[in-house]
Amino acid sequence: MVIRTRKTLLMFFIALIVVFTLTSLCFIKILNRAESVTTTPKIKVHDNILNELPFIQNKFKRRHYLNDTTWDNFLKNTKSLTPNVKAELLWNEVRSWVSKTQFYDATSPHLGTVLNLLKSAKIIKADVDTRGTQLKLLLTLEGHQQVVFKPKWYPIDKVIDGPVYAGKDRYGSEILAFYLSAILQKPLTPLTTERNISLSKDIVPVATKRLLSTIFNHKSVLCVYGKCFYCKRNDPVCEDDNNMLSGAVSLNINATFIYHRSPWQRTYKKGKLALWETLDNYCQFIKPKLSTRNLLDLVDAAIFDFLIQNGDRHHYETFDGNIILLDNGKGLGNPYTHHLDILAPLYQCCMLRNTTWTRLQQLSSGLLRSHLESIPNIWNFVTKPHINAIEHRLNIIYAAVKFCRNRSKGMP
Ligand SMILES: *[C@@H]1O[C@H](CO)[C@@H](O)[C@H](O)[C@H]1NC(C)=O
Ligand SMILES: *[C@@H]1O[C@H](CO)[C@@H](O)[C@H](O)[C@H]1NC(C)=O
Ligand SMILES: *[C@@H]1O[C@H](CO)[C@@H](O)[C@H](O)[C@H]1NC(C)=O
Ligand SMILES: *[C@@H]1O[C@H](CO)[C@@H](O)[C@H](O)[C@H]1NC(C)=O
Ligand SMILES: *[C@@H]1O[C@H](CO)[C@@H](O)[C@H](O)[C@H]1NC(C)=O
């Protein structure tokens, strides 16, 4: 009798546990669903834009292939090497290129020599770079030119899931951005190239005290964590099997930039939407606050960012009033998603520069892809799926333009 009661009791408890688990699972499911609805809003215009895609792809497939001498010459310049040029003189020339409309001279035959110098000139001083939120080094190269080094954190085929701003900087995105700026004929990114450095040989002997204090030995390789918002000792970047750190070096532009909050800033809070994510007519509120030139610059930047999915431009910088394209490390995160909301400045304001539109059209019918694939050593830092994705996103941009033509007269 006692045994029987015990057995019933046991059965009762097991039943209770099963019921409890099932209801909890159910709740978690419902809560998750509610959350995914609020964090990734279904923006109606995105469907309208994507509905245009089949027509766009047919229209642009038939376009004729275009000779692009500007790009061909740029590419030739990036590969030409002038022997025995003094570093100091070359850096002076590079600094003279910088203006509010360009950070480099795409027509200069010295471009290749400069990129080579970025890649190989002796490092004479190494410091932390505290600007921004992620690990960067501020290096001074022979000939007294400052450059910024961003390390490689991931293998290039790593797919970053989550929100568009997830993960750490992708060094390949910085390099690709430089070439993309040349393709789009908006040379407002700093000269950038791949570089491998040895912490022990290239950095430690010339490091400042504050940088040195963030370099340490871990299982017989050197690691560094630097000084920045997210920099911490338990999250360093370490040398690879060849005792090297791979990464991207960019020219440090010595000029005064003005820092602005982007009207299309994200909230960076799960489940909380910004005003621009909830209002289709958001641009009406922005237009009175910004100049037309500024807005057109923001649209150009949005197109640039959308192609590589650099969805983290919460602030932007201007140089003499022109918006420049600094900090492009959040691109190349996931080649299998296309976050359309990066294009919000375009499809909400429905404004576009004639020159930008002309250039975008020229890049149709595979020209964008063939340009990207002709970038020197491209497969070192970008994978094929990313190139496919960029090609596809160009069609999405055409579709957004078509969508805008339907609703605004301000379109080319
Ligand atoms: C493109 O350039 C090549 C070589 O310069 C030339 O032979 C060809 O005719 C050009 N094509 C067009 C469409 O201009
Ligand atoms: C850097 O190192 C990687 C492998 O460690 C190599 O594939 C790449 O070509 C190197 N890049 C440069 C610019 O030397
Ligand atoms: C930046 O430019 C200013 C004046 O144009 C100059 O005094 C300064 O030395 C430069 N800094 C670097 C790091 O080149
Ligand atoms: C825009 O560009 C096209 C093609 O280059 C040209 O025909 C047209 O006149 C331009 N429109 C304006 C308003 O500049
Ligand atoms: C363009 O406007 C027409 C008529 O108002 C509408 O049927 C069509 O869906 C619109 N297309 C887009 C892409 O918004």
Side-chain angles (χ1 to χ4, degrees), residues 201-298:
K201 291 197 195 105
D202 302 327
I203 301 296
V204 168
V206 294
T208 58
K209 255 197 197 134
R210 56 178 187 167
L211 173 59
L212 216 47
S213 71
T214 77
I215 299 177
F216 62 95
N217 211 312
H218 177 69
K219 294 184 184 159
S220 84
V221 291
L222 281 185
C223 303
V224 60
Y225 61 94
K227 210 176 166 74
C228 67
F229 186 76
Y230 289 126
C231 289
K232 46 187 190 303
R233 194 183 159 92
N234 59 10
D235 190 19
V237 66
C238 300
E239 290 183 340
D240 63 17
D241 302 337
N242 305 320
N243 292 96
M244 286 289 189
L245 273 187
S246 296
V249 275
S250 304
L251 199 79
N252 190 48
I253 312 265
N254 184 14
T256 309
F257 303 139
I258 300 175
Y259 198 63
H260 311 261
R261 203 179 76 80
S262 168
W264 281 276
Q265 187 178 47
R266 297 168 193 278
T267 63
Y268 295 90
K269 290 193 186 94
K270 223 177 173 181
K272 190 167 185 297
L273 295 179
L275 196 58
W276 67 268
E277 291 172 286
T278 61
L279 292 178
D280 274 348
N281 62 348
Y282 178 73
C283 196
Q284 283 179 14
F285 299 94
I286 296 308
K287 269 186 179 158
K289 296 181 200 161
L290 289 178
S291 67
T292 304
R293 175 170 68 144
N294 245 219
L295 272 174
L296 288 169
D297 272 0
L298 281 167

Side-chain angles (χ1 to χ4, degrees), residues 67-109:
N67 272 353
D68 191 353
T69 43
T70 314
W71 171 257
D72 294 345
N73 287 336
F74 166 79
L75 212 54
K76 197 172 100 222
N77 291 335
T78 63
K79 291 175 187 167
S80 80
L81 292 177
T82 318
N84 307 323
V85 204
K86 219 167 158 252
E88 196 113 32
L89 293 179
L90 210 51
W91 294 132
N92 278 339
E93 184 183 340
V94 168
R95 286 192 280 265
S96 76
W97 291 343
V98 175
S99 76
K100 67 173 180 179
T101 53
Q102 64 166 42
F103 281 176
Y104 57 89
D105 179 1
T107 66
S108 167

Side-chain angles (χ1 to χ4, degrees), residues 344-363:
L346 171 63
Y347 65 67
Q348 290 186 335
C349 292
C350 283
M351 299 162 71
L352 184 60
R353 276 206 178 91
N354 201 12
T355 47
T356 307
W357 179 233
T358 305
R359 186 62 187 150
L360 286 172
Q361 285 175 291
Q362 286 171 355
L363 293 174

Side-chain angles (χ1 to χ4, degrees), residues 119 194-196 240 242 246 380:
K119 199 176 289 188
E194 199 183 5
R195 178 162 183 161
N196 295 335
D240 63 17
N242 305 320
S246 296
N380 269 5

